[in-house]
Amino acid sequence: MSLSKGILILYSESAQLDYKCLSDTCARLAEKHLGVSSTVVKLDPKQKNFRTFRYPNGELEGTEWNNIGRYSAYELSPYDETLLIDSDYIVQSDTLANYFGSDHDFVCHNRSWDVSGNDVFRHDKFMTQNWFEMRWATVVYFKKSERAKRIFDAQCSLQNHYETVLY
C-alpha cells in the first residue's frame, strides 16, 4: 500500500487580508503543480501575535500575523507525508514535490529569501534573546513518524510555556 501524501494549509482570520480566499487559491495552485491533494484548515488562535515589517526606506509597519497553532499540524494532517505551507506561499512549479519520499521525517529551512531582493529578513537569522538559530516554517515537510510527532509536541510545549522558556 502506498503512503498518502498531500499539502496542509493552516490559516486564521485577519482584519487586513482574506486568508480563507488566499488559502484556497494557494491550495489549488499547489495541487496543480505538485499533483497531490490539499487540505485547508482554519485555526482559531487563543492569542494573536504581531509582526513588524521593515522597508528599505526605513519605514516600519506593524500588522497582525496569526500563525500561532502550527504545532497542531501533525494532528490535523490527514496524510502520511505532508507539506505544510503558508497560506500566502504561492507554488508555481513542481520543485516541492521532491520532498515527498524523503529519507527525513522532518525538514524545515534555516534561511529565507526575499523575492523583492531587499533582504528584509537579514535581521532574522537568530531568535531574539537566546540566540537559537531561526528556522522558517513557510514550507515544512514531515512524515507521520515518532520523531516528527516529538518535534510537534515540543513546539506545542514551547508555545504553552513560552513565557517561562524565555525568562
Side-chain angles (χ1 to χ4, degrees), residues 16-155:
Q16 289 93 356
L17 289 170
D18 182 351
Y19 276 105
K20 169 65 171 135
C21 180
L22 194 55
S23 298
D24 289 342
T25 301
C26 177
R28 299 298 80 77
L29 285 169
E31 287 176 351
K32 173 186 172 187
H33 291 289
L34 303 178
V36 297
S37 298
S38 66
T39 301
V40 175
V41 177
K42 179 184 176 196
L43 298 176
D44 291 312
K46 295 175 185 152
Q47 67 187 80
K48 297 178 187 252
N49 58 345
F50 296 86
R51 174 92 185 198
T52 301
F53 293 93
R54 299 173 195 95
Y55 295 100
N57 65 2
E59 182 182 343
L60 299 177
E61 178 185 4
T63 187
E64 194 175 293
W65 193 55
N66 298 332
N67 70 343
I68 295 174
R70 292 175 71 88
Y71 58 82
S72 60
Y74 186 91
E75 300 301 327
L76 292 172
S77 176
Y79 310 110
D80 295 322
E81 290 184 80
T82 302
L83 267 176
L84 171 63
I85 60 176
D86 278 358
S87 58
D88 58 357
Y89 187 87
I90 307 300
V91 175
Q92 290 292 295
S93 73
D94 64 354
T95 302
L96 293 177
N98 293 319
Y99 283 105
F100 294 116
S102 172
D103 292 337
H104 303 286
D105 291 346
F106 183 91
V107 178
C108 69
H109 295 273
N110 63 351
R111 291 184 294 167
S112 64
W113 293 267
D114 174 19
V115 296
S116 71
N118 292 320
D119 199 19
V120 296
F121 301 114
R122 69 185 170 279
H123 302 290
D124 296 332
K125 294 188 186 341
F126 297 95
M127 298 177 74
T128 30
Q129 298 173 339
N130 49 27
W131 290 93
F132 290 122
E133 280 190 27
M134 178 69 87
R135 294 294 184 257
W136 293 89
T138 304
V139 175
V140 174
Y141 167 81
F142 65 93
K143 293 179 183 178
K144 289 285 179 123
S145 68
E146 195 54 40
R147 180 170 189 260
K149 181 169 183 356
R150 285 193 313 266
I151 291 169
F152 281 99
D153 287 348
Q155 289 174 357

